[in-house]
Amino acid sequence: MGNLTTETLIWTGSYTADRNAKGKGIAALSVDDNGQLTNMGLAVAADSPSFLAVHPSLPVVYAVAEDAGTVRAYRRTGRTELEAFGESWPAGEATCHVAVDPHGRFIVATCWGDGQVVLYELDHDGAITSRTSATAAVDPHTAASPEEPRPSRAHSSLMLPDGRVMTTDLGHDLVRVWKYEPGTGLVPDHQVVLPMGSGPRHMARHQSGTVFVDTEYSVEVAALGMQPDGTYELNAMVPASAKGASDGDAGAEIALSPDGRFAYVGVRGSNRICVLQVSGDGAALQPVGEVPCGGEWPRHHLVREGWLYVANEGSDDVVAFTLDAGTGLPGGPVARMETGSPSVLVLAD
């Protein structure tokens, strides 16, 4: 008998007609051990579900509706099917990210348009039960541009192992850390100020405890180290690429290899995936190479078991790359699947 091929399901968010894009909602794709991609069809129709999060123990998926400024829960009804679970809840303008607490107590949505950070508590079925907007950010760089106020643009959240929540504010060059208090929501703990104009976007936590933050504007990676008192400090700012950023470039997603040796940063504009090597203690990293993303406008990517999957929003496809175990570098694209305006990839299982 030959070896059995196993398959893994991935949910794919998208931009849809309300954003003049080609997606239809949340789609399902299957990947096998050979990296091959199969389009499993539309899981549920939705307006611009541009970011998704999966409940840690229940068959529930949370999605933003970026243009509508809402979040909604969806319940899994089959292998590749979802249905709306409760009503949509208001968030803020241009709600662009959602993350779920690893204990399933709440989700956090972040809003690019007005800077809101919103916490929604969940019940035992994973349904949304309440909404609390957190304290607004204050620009720490106001003195540098007092006549031109910069808008707050919350962009993502990260759940920390100690129960705290970390969020980025791309407009104010801030990373904020919060404590969660049931019934109250997010309470400010402390914040880390990044260089003005860097634009912190997405985050990935290394097994050492260091949090790496990719920056949209300066196309760098910030290393935030946790101190003995539990606060985070900025340890380093490293270019995502040794070649530097090109005009029109914008950082997108950052993801780590499972062993923590490499970080992968997507760069829209020049359409690259940049690879950085991480030191053993997670305190430092340096760019080691880059490859074309296999399409246009790589909005998001997923690293899994020797494979890199890239959601190319501009070319309406997801592309699979092999990853060299020694160098961490992607090999040539081995598979491509068409899907409308993909914006995020998350494991369904």
Side-chain angles (χ1 to χ4, degrees):
M1 295 181 61
N3 294 329
L4 295 177
T5 300
T6 58
E7 295 186 343
T8 298
L9 195 72
I10 294 174
W11 300 124
T12 307
S14 67
Y15 286 104
T16 62
D18 64 337
R19 296 272 300 223
N20 297 314
K22 299 178 182 179
K24 301 297 183 183
I26 303 173
L29 67 90
S30 175
V31 299
D32 66 19
D33 296 339
N34 299 314
Q36 295 305 304
L37 305 169
T38 303
N39 192 332
M40 306 299 287
L42 188 66
V44 65
D47 290 334
S48 290
S50 61
F51 214 87
L52 311 173
V54 177
H55 193 284
S57 59
L58 298 171
V60 178
V61 177
Y62 304 95
V64 306
E66 185 163 333
D67 202 58
T70 60
V71 296
R72 191 170 199 172
Y74 294 89
R75 182 166 44 198
R76 195 168 179 175
T77 59
R79 171 70 175 155
T80 61
E81 295 84 31
L82 298 167
E83 67 177 9
F85 182 33
E87 299 300 316
S88 294
W89 284 69
E93 295 179 16
T95 310
C96 59
H97 190 280
V98 63
V100 61
D101 165 52
H103 303 290
R105 298 168 297 175
F106 60 85
I107 60 173
V108 173
T110 43
C111 308
W112 182 90
D114 57 13
Q116 283 197 71
V117 175
V118 188
L119 181 139
Y120 304 84
E121 294 192 315
L122 308 175
D123 66 14
H124 64 280
D125 290 324
I128 299 171
T129 61
S130 67
R131 175 193 186 280
T132 307
S133 190
T135 304
V138 176
D139 189 351
H141 297 286
T142 300
S145 57
E147 297 178 0
E148 298 181 13
R150 304 190 307 163
S152 172
R153 300 207 182 281
H155 208 286
S156 68
S157 61
L158 175 70
M159 306 297 165
L160 300 174
D162 60 13
R164 292 182 296 173
V165 180
M166 184 176 279
T167 61
T168 58
D169 193 304
L170 190 151
H172 286 173
D173 302 307
L174 269 179
V175 174
R176 296 196 285 172
V177 181
W178 312 82
K179 293 179 180 177
Y180 166 63
E181 293 187 1
T184 298
L186 295 176
V187 177
D189 186 74
H190 69 283
Q191 65 185 32
V192 184
V193 179
L194 270 63
M196 185 174 178
S198 54
R201 180 179 169 92
H202 283 189
M203 299 172 282
R205 183 183 179 275
H206 189 263
Q207 56 211 33
S208 66
T210 299
V211 174
F212 295 117
V213 188
D214 78 311
T215 60
E216 178 167 329
Y217 299 149
S218 63
V219 193
E220 296 175 290
V221 179
L224 307 185
M226 191 169 73
Q227 308 307 302
D229 64 358
T231 62
Y232 284 83
E233 291 185 359
L234 176 60
N235 290 339
M237 293 286 294
V238 178
S241 166
K243 298 178 181 178
S246 303
D247 289 344
D249 273 356
E253 171 68 347
I254 182 170
L256 297 174
S257 59
D259 61 8
R261 295 172 56 214
F262 301 100
Y264 299 87
V265 177
V267 182
R268 297 163 293 174
S270 55
N271 298 327
R272 297 175 285 169
I273 300 296
C274 297
V275 185
L276 299 96
Q277 186 165 10
V278 181
S279 63
D281 60 2
L285 71 173
Q286 63 177 2
V288 293
E290 57 194 74
V291 299
C293 70
E296 297 179 11
W297 211 249
R299 180 163 288 273
H300 195 261
H301 57 267
L302 175 68
V303 178
R304 176 184 174 271
E305 296 179 4
W307 294 92
L308 171 70
Y309 303 99
V310 181
N312 291 313
E313 176 194 352
S315 50
D316 301 302
D317 56 19
V318 176
V319 179
F321 298 81
T322 58
L323 292 176
D324 186 283
T327 66
L329 295 174
V334 298
R336 174 183 176 272
M337 186 197 76
E338 293 186 3
T339 184
S341 305
S343 56
V344 66
L345 304 170
V346 296
L347 292 173
D349 300 314

